[in-house]
């Protein structure tokens, strides 16, 4: 893996990982653990990438500052009443209430977590993740019902949806096994962005690579795909 050094406005230097992929566009990512990476096609020179990263210096610093201030990482550091979690593009406030039985209920912009011990942060984290995974399963199966016919009419079998925590990808496709894997943190994005990722992976059953035919087919069936991608790349970050 190639590495480049970027000097920030405060003269601090950070390392930026350069990842070569079969792709059309350059993609810059800043992660909650303050790692920075740029994915680029194989034919793009390192000199061009360095200039590109330099132009994005202010944006990178803004993201790094946000993560430091919010103490963001790949999950909530603690769960208690008053903290928020991002769900389907909205910041939802958590309210913890003591109860004999465990339960999680969302009412508009509030998420009530009922638990026997409100001070048990580990148990609260497990309750929240179990609830999120159940919500994901229901939504993703519904979206698959909506989007699968786009490829189903060409004879491809309905794939299985799996969810796991991934650091750099919103989704992946295993054509041989008929599996689409979606990032656990994708549930933080608005539904149109989730549809973008799901259809992107579905189209890979027809076109393995990111060639012109892939993008022509994808854009035909996904209006506003560029805007949805921009939101994913710059507004929705895993773990935030």
């Amino acid at each position: 893996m190639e590495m480049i050094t970027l000097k920030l406005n405060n003269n601090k230097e950070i390392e930026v990982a350069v990842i070569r992929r079969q792709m059309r566009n350059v993609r810059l990512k800043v992660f909650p653990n303050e790692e920075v990476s740029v994915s680029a096609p194989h034919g793009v020179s390192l000199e061009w990438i360095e200039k590109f990263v330099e132009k994005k210096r202010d944006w990178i610093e803004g993201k790094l500052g946000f993560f430091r201030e919010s103490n963001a990482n790949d999950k909530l550091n603690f769960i208690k009443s008053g903290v928020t979690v991002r769900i389907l593009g909205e910041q939802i406030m958590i309210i913890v209430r003591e109860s004999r039985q465990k339960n999680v209920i969302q009412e508009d912009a509030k998420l009530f977590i009922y638990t026997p011990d409100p001070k048990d942060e580990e148990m609260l984290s497990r309750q929240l993740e179990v609830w999120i995974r159940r919500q994901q399963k229901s939504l993703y199966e519904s979206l698959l019902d909506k989007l699968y016919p786009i490829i189903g009419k060409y004879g491809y079998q309905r794939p299985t949806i799996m969810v796991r925590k991934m650091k750099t990808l919103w989704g992946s496709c295993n054509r041989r096994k008929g599996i689409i894997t979606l990032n656990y943190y994708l549930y933080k994005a608005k539904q149109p962005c989730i549809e973008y990722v799901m259809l992107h992976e579905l189209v890979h059953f027809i076109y393995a690579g990111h060639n012109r035919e892939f993008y022509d087919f994808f854009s035909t069936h996904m209006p506003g795909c560029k805007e949805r991608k921009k939101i994913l790349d710059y507004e929705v970050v895993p773990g935030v």
Side-chain angles (χ1 to χ4, degrees):
M1 180 185 298
E2 298 169 290
M3 303 292 293
I4 59 177
T5 301
L6 174 67
K7 180 177 287 188
L8 302 177
N9 292 321
N10 60 4
N11 290 323
K12 178 182 177 181
E13 293 185 344
I14 62 171
E15 295 295 315
V16 179
V18 179
I19 304 170
R20 301 289 184 172
R21 299 185 185 278
Q22 293 291 340
M23 57 195 304
R24 295 177 64 184
N25 301 312
V26 175
R27 181 181 303 167
L28 179 64
K29 291 283 189 178
V30 180
F31 299 99
N33 63 0
E34 299 188 25
E35 291 183 5
V36 182
S37 72
V38 56
S39 300
H42 293 286
V44 177
S45 70
L46 190 61
E47 181 181 4
W48 189 96
I49 295 173
E50 288 176 342
K51 292 179 180 179
F52 171 81
V53 172
E54 288 175 2
K55 290 180 181 179
K56 297 291 185 180
R57 180 187 289 109
D58 291 343
W59 181 83
I60 292 172
E61 286 198 291
K63 286 293 185 182
L64 290 172
F66 172 80
F67 291 139
R68 294 189 189 109
E69 292 174 5
S70 61
N71 293 318
N73 54 29
D74 64 351
K75 66 177 182 178
L76 290 174
N77 284 324
F78 56 89
I79 296 179
K80 64 179 182 180
S81 290
V83 303
T84 62
V85 59
R86 186 166 181 162
I87 297 175
L88 296 177
E90 304 294 335
Q91 289 299 129
I92 308 298
M93 179 177 291
I94 291 176
I95 298 177
V96 180
R97 290 182 174 174
E98 186 172 356
S99 173
R100 291 184 179 181
Q101 294 186 340
K102 297 178 183 179
N103 199 6
V104 180
I105 300 175
Q106 182 178 354
E107 296 181 2
D108 298 323
K110 294 181 180 180
L111 190 67
F112 296 90
I113 302 180
Y114 297 90
T115 183
D117 186 359
K119 296 182 179 180
D120 190 335
E121 295 177 3
E122 185 176 347
M123 181 168 61
L124 288 170
S125 294
R126 288 199 301 268
Q127 279 187 245
L128 179 60
E129 181 162 335
V130 167
W131 179 83
I132 287 176
R133 289 188 179 276
R134 287 175 179 169
Q135 298 299 111
Q136 287 175 324
K137 180 177 177 57
S138 176
L139 175 62
Y140 296 168
E141 289 297 330
S142 175
L143 294 182
L144 186 59
D145 287 340
K146 173 184 176 181
L147 298 172
Y148 163 68
I150 293 175
I151 70 163
K153 62 185 178 182
Y154 295 98
Y156 295 93
Q157 292 187 346
R158 178 188 173 98
T160 299
I161 297 291
M162 298 183 65
V163 176
R164 69 181 181 89
K165 295 178 180 179
M166 297 187 286
K167 186 174 181 180
T168 61
L169 298 175
W170 287 119
S172 64
C173 169
N174 188 319
R175 302 172 76 209
R176 183 174 61 84
K177 294 184 178 180
I179 295 174
I180 287 177
T181 302
L182 299 178
N183 193 326
Y184 171 82
Y185 300 112
L186 184 61
Y187 194 64
K188 298 176 182 294
K190 292 182 179 180
Q191 182 171 315
C193 296
I194 297 174
E195 292 180 7
Y196 169 93
V197 175
M198 184 175 289
L199 183 59
H200 183 107
E201 303 308 329
L202 282 169
V203 175
H204 274 310
F205 283 98
I206 303 176
Y207 303 102
H210 293 107
N211 53 22
R212 181 179 296 276
E213 288 78 10
F214 172 92
Y215 284 106
D216 286 346
F217 185 94
F218 178 70
S219 61
T220 297
H221 294 87
M222 179 58 62
C225 58
K226 291 183 178 180
E227 289 74 15
R228 301 185 198 209
K229 183 179 185 300
K230 185 179 295 186
I231 292 173
L232 280 170
D233 285 347
Y234 293 101
E235 297 183 22
V236 184
V237 180
V240 181

